[in-house]
Amino acid sequence: MSMNQALWLPAKGATPEVRPAPVPTPGQGQIVIRAACVAINPIDWILQQVGSLIFPFLRYPLVLGWDVAGEVVAVGAGVSRFKVGDRIVGLAVGQDKSVNDPVEGAFQHHPLLRDHMATPIPPSLTWEQAAVLPLAISTAACCLFQSAHLALDPPTVSPHSNGKTVLIWGGSTSVGSNAIQLAVAAGYEVVTTASPRNHAYVRQLGASAVFDYKSRTVVRDIVQFLKGKTLAGAVAIGAGSAPLCVAIMGACTGRKYVAIASPPVSFDDAPEHGRRGPWLAGKLFRMVRGTVGVMLRGRLKGVHSGFVNGSSLLNDGVGRMIFTEFLPGALASGQFRSSPEPIMAGAGLEAIPNALERHRKGGVSAGKLVVTL
Ligand SMILES: NC(=O)c1ccc[n+]([C@@H]2O[C@H](COP(=O)([O-])OP(=O)(O)OC[C@H]3O[C@@H](n4cnc5c(N)ncnc54)[C@H](OP(=O)(O)O)[C@@H]3O)[C@@H](O)[C@H]2O)c1
């Protein structure tokens, strides 16, 4: 472990580049791994497109990436869950506000992970299958279990039905695939949305009903289905989903809260050439208008909502609950499926920019792009 290389974002809006990185030394509760695979999340290219609009606190240069699976090569003081040679998968938290440190970015050969934000990979899972998990399950867990959001009962390996229902809008996304399984493992019935080609997929994950989110009658159909049920809240995944979830919650009985995972606008249409200023200003305007609109509409219907930060489980006990207490047993027993399926998108750090571009252009449905290192 005498050398390290990383995919750096040198400055706000710059082009990512592969160059040497420091070899980390693990401190208290930390692990260094040799990365085998990384997975691509929308934020990895959104950050490149809109930089400080969403993460104004970030310091540059930074190492991109959140999802990594690999073999432990060094452990710091106080680490008892892992030893050198173990196969693990974890959330690399280098871009979390409380960390802001490139040694903890995922897209490098030797990233530093936190002991409580990693979990063993059972022999039944490949590196690629494991790598799809971290940010998706983290974001889903923040939506479902943080006290500021839905505050559901915790997931267990032997759940009992509690008679309550959760709406998960966007069940075929990576975040949604994990949210469905976590809510079911916590004893809730799940109603979700997806394109018709993914209806069988989300049912296999545990959803009891699924609706096409592109149908013009989707809100009315879901409200009709939920009549007589007690809601425990909703998770809104996908641009434009929050106002629809607010409308449904407002017409149903139970907890009227929407945990919002996606910003109100998508960022996949950034101009390839020329000045970004007018495009960014338009996005900012629509983000503010969308956020205020959801709040006002919610207030009229008695529905509360909040935007979720998918790495905030790092410091509040939910991260430990998922990565330390729930996942080891649930993955090993096969109760929790590492989902969605990995889609191979090349090998080496140099392949990651193309994978980011492929994701930005909308190249995945119920799948996650994975790059081997
Ligand atoms: N707040 C956070 O910290 C955080 C963290 C991670 C992700 N996110 C956000 O969560 C969202 C999902 O991320 P991901 O990584 O899970 O995405 P992903 O797996 O790449 O999502 C792909 C899926 O999106 C679905 N989709 C597209 N437009 C949709 C819409 N309007 N409503 C519902 N589903 C839609 C498609 O479903 P079909 O093929 O079935 O049509 C497709 O399967 C993104 O907006 C992302 O920015 C937020």
Side-chain angles (χ1 to χ4, degrees), residues 46-239:
I46 290 174
L47 186 62
Q48 208 187 324
Q49 305 287 341
V50 301
S52 48
L53 188 65
I54 294 191
F55 284 143
F57 54 84
L58 282 177
R59 284 194 297 264
Y60 296 83
L62 58 82
V63 173
L64 288 163
W66 296 86
D67 290 350
V68 61
E71 185 181 315
V72 176
V73 291
V75 296
V79 175
S80 56
R81 296 179 59 225
F82 302 114
K83 60 182 187 323
V84 171
D86 284 354
R87 298 167 76 232
I88 67 168
V89 58
L91 184 73
V93 292
Q95 291 153 65
D96 181 80
K97 193 172 183 180
S98 66
V99 180
N100 217 346
D101 188 343
V103 298
E104 299 194 51
F107 296 166
Q108 56 188 314
H109 289 295
H110 291 297
L112 190 79
L113 296 178
R114 309 278 173 119
D115 172 38
H116 73 288
M117 296 300 292
T119 208
I121 302 175
S124 55
L125 287 186
T126 63
W127 295 118
E128 292 82 357
Q129 287 169 320
V132 306
L133 270 177
L135 188 60
I137 196 169
S138 297
T139 308
C142 291
C143 292
L144 297 173
F145 303 118
Q146 283 185 329
S147 55
H149 298 295
L150 295 191
L152 302 188
D153 302 332
T156 71
V157 287
S158 47
H160 296 289
S161 166
N162 59 26
K164 294 182 188 159
T165 305
V166 179
L167 169 65
I168 295 171
W169 191 287
S172 58
T173 62
S174 305
V175 176
S177 304
N178 283 273
I180 292 171
Q181 294 190 82
L182 284 177
V184 169
Y188 297 80
E189 180 195 22
V190 171
V191 173
T192 193
T193 69
S195 290
R197 65 186 163 193
N198 291 322
H199 283 193
Y201 167 70
V202 294
R203 282 185 190 279
Q204 278 166 18
L205 295 176
S208 65
V210 53
F211 296 84
D212 180 2
Y213 63 89
K214 290 173 191 148
S215 159
R216 283 199 291 165
T217 59
V218 61
V219 169
R220 203 184 331 138
D221 296 344
I222 294 176
V223 169
Q224 180 65 27
F225 180 84
L226 291 174
K227 274 211 172 102
K229 294 183 184 286
T230 304
L231 269 288
V235 176
I237 310 163

